[in-house]
């Protein structure tokens, strides 16, 4: 596979993880709502008065909003479920051009090895954007962890990360210095090298050459 395919694969498995966590949050939030744990409707959040749970006096801008909108009781929107549905809809667009059925992210992931490099590059941008949205909502970091005792095979920078989600043959290593391939003859030594693409390697290609390299705890 080319670097474009490796980046797309890493992004797909990162989104698998983030989306799974988001789904669990949506389930937990639905259970909380069903048990009566209600919060103020989003429209009742005033930048001056904050969240209001009851109608105030004539000077209360939130109370005025309630009267104008006809909202009479607290509602709680399951934000995790709303985001999860939106992510699935956006994944369904590219998945609609692929054979088979089932979950769109599963279909996309399975199809990556057979994609043209340009298609894989465009897909990477979409997957990274969706993954960032989910992780920002959940307030979790990127799906990678620091490798100790390893340097970048290309620029020799010593801040190198592994991405170990999905099956072992999909694990990859990237450089935190954002060094980029120079194409044919690049020190990265990767087949299918593409000029300008951030360096990425199959994890086995990097770890196998470094005796005693061990991962640090996930950041």
């Amino acid at each position: 596979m080319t670097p474009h395919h490796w980046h797309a694969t890493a992004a797909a498995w990162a989104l698998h993880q983030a989306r799974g966590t988001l789904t669990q949050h949506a389930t937990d939030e639905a259970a909380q709502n069903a048990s009566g744990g209600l919060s103020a409707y989003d429209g009742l959040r005033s930048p001056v008065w904050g969240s209001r749970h009851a109608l105030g006096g004539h000077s209360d801008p939130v109370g005025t909003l309630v009267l104008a909108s006809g909202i009479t009781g607290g509602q709680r929107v399951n934000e995790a479920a709303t985001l999860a549905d939106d992510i699935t809809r956006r994944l369904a667009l590219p998945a609609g051009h692929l054979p088979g059925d089932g979950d769109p992210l599963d279909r996309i992931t399975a199809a990556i090895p057979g994609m043209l490099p340009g298609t894989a590059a465009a897909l990477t941008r979409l997957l990274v954007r969706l993954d960032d949205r989910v992780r920002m909502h959940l307030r979790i970091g990127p799906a990678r962890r620091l490798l100790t005792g390893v340097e970048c095979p290309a620029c020799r920078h010593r801040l190198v990360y592994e991405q170990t989600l999905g099956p072992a043959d999909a694990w990859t290593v990237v450089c935190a210095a954002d060094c980029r391939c120079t194409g044919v003859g690049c020190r990265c030594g990767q087949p299918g090298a593409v000029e300008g693409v951030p360096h990425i390697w199959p994890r086995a290609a990097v770890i196998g050459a470094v005796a005693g390299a061990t991962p640090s705890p996930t950041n």
Side-chain angles (χ1 to χ4, degrees), residues 29-130:
E29 193 168 340
Q32 181 181 5
N33 293 350
S35 68
L38 300 178
S39 68
Y41 179 74
D42 282 346
L44 306 188
R45 301 185 185 279
S46 164
V48 176
W49 298 86
S51 297
R52 310 291 287 186
H53 299 276
L55 300 184
H58 293 294
S59 62
D60 183 348
V62 178
T64 302
L65 173 62
V66 171
L67 293 175
S69 64
I71 298 171
T72 57
Q75 299 180 33
R76 184 182 181 91
V77 176
N78 189 328
E79 295 180 356
T82 300
L83 177 57
D85 288 344
D86 186 58
I87 296 295
T88 299
R89 282 195 299 271
R90 293 180 186 277
L91 290 169
L93 294 176
H97 299 281
L98 301 173
D101 52 19
D103 181 74
L105 185 54
D106 288 340
R107 293 159 61 193
I108 289 171
T109 305
I112 289 173
M115 291 180 178
L116 294 173
T119 303
L123 178 64
T124 299
R125 292 191 290 271
L126 171 65
L127 296 176
V128 168
R129 185 166 66 248
L130 297 179

Side-chain angles (χ1 to χ4, degrees), residues 184-211:
V184 177
C186 180
R187 291 178 62 180
C188 69
Q190 287 300 294
V194 180
E195 183 176 356
V197 177
H199 279 129
I200 187 168
W201 296 267
R203 184 181 183 274
V206 176
I207 301 301
V210 181

Side-chain angles (χ1 to χ4, degrees), residues 158-209:
R158 296 194 62 81
L159 198 58
V160 178
Y161 290 92
E162 63 175 352
Q163 303 171 127
T164 54
L165 295 173
D169 60 2
W171 295 357
T172 54
V173 171
V174 294
C175 177
D178 192 31
C179 59
R180 294 175 180 263
C181 187
T182 58
V184 177
C186 180
R187 291 178 62 180
C188 69
Q190 287 300 294
V194 180
E195 183 176 356
V197 177
H199 279 129
I200 187 168
W201 296 267
R203 184 181 183 274
V206 176
I207 301 301

